[in-house]
Amino acid sequence: PADATLTIQNGASLTLDPGSVSKIDGKVVIEEGDSNATEAAKKDAGIFNANGKVSVTGSVQSFGNIVIGGEFSIEADAVVSVEDTGSILTAADSKLTVKDSGALEIRGAFTGKISGDAVGLIVYNHGLVTIDSEEAAVAASQIYQMASGAVVDVVNYTVDATTGTKNLTITDAQ
C-alpha cells in the first residue's frame, strides 16, 4: 500500500523471479550491510530483479544493492535514491527507465561487477537523473535522453585513474 514501508535488513534480499511483475507503491528501504563485514559483503542487502518487471510509484532508498536484470521503471513523481553506501547496477539486456517527473538520485556506486564482469549503468531518461558519487567508476555508463525536458545533473563523477577512463556518456534517444 502507498503508506507502507518495507525494510530490507542487513543480510536479507528481495529477489524477484523471472517473469514476475511487481509494483512498489509505498516506500522500500534497503539497509547497509554489516560495517564489520568485508568490503564485498557490506552491500549484501538489496533488491535483485531477475528478468522480471518492477514499477516504482512510491520511493526506494538504498543503502545496499539494487541489481536490475529485467525491467525497472521509476514512474511519474517516484524517487529512487542510491545513498553513498549503496549501489545500482544494470545487467546486460536489462532496462532502467526514469519516466516523466520521476527521479533517480545516485550518491553511491553505479558501476560494479555482476558474475565477475564489470558493468556500467544504462538509463533511459525521461525525467531527472542526479549523479553525485565519490565511488570510482569501474565501467562505462550510458544515459539516453528520451524526452525534451529530461535532465541529467552531474555534480560529481569519479573515476579510478589506475583503471583507465570509464566514460559517462549522455546522448539523445537511442
Side-chain angles (χ1 to χ4, degrees):
D3 59 348
T5 298
L6 171 65
T7 300
I8 301 172
Q9 296 180 330
N10 172 26
S13 64
L14 174 62
T15 302
L16 305 172
D17 290 332
S20 65
V21 177
S22 303
K23 184 176 183 181
I24 298 172
D25 248 352
K27 181 175 185 174
V28 172
V29 176
I30 303 168
E31 291 184 345
E32 178 181 6
D34 182 355
S35 61
N36 293 320
T38 64
E39 196 61 35
K42 282 184 183 178
K43 297 176 184 169
D44 59 357
I47 296 176
F48 303 95
N49 175 17
N51 298 317
K53 293 182 181 181
V54 176
S55 173
V56 178
T57 59
S59 67
V60 175
Q61 183 179 25
S62 179
F63 298 90
N65 286 318
I66 300 173
V67 179
I68 300 166
E71 294 180 29
F72 192 98
S73 66
I74 302 166
E75 302 295 330
D77 302 321
V79 178
V80 172
S81 300
V82 179
E83 302 302 335
D84 59 353
T85 59
S87 68
I88 184 167
L89 302 173
T90 51
D93 299 323
S94 62
K95 188 168 187 179
L96 169 57
T97 304
V98 180
K99 301 281 182 94
D100 290 338
S101 75
L104 173 61
E105 302 166 350
I106 303 171
R107 288 178 279 287
F110 57 96
T111 64
K113 294 195 175 192
I114 298 177
S115 300
D117 296 323
V119 295
L121 188 66
I122 300 172
V123 179
Y124 298 87
N125 183 33
H126 301 257
L128 171 64
V129 175
T130 302
I131 298 171
D132 187 5
S133 177
E134 294 183 12
E135 289 284 332
V138 297
S141 291
Q142 179 79 43
I143 300 175
Y144 296 105
Q145 296 291 80
M146 304 299 290
S148 175
V151 175
V152 176
D153 182 14
V154 180
V155 178
N156 189 12
Y157 177 75
T158 306
V159 295
D160 180 347
T162 64
T163 63
T165 303
K166 304 301 180 199
N167 292 335
L168 171 62
T169 305
I170 302 166
T171 63
D172 288 338
Q174 177 183 5

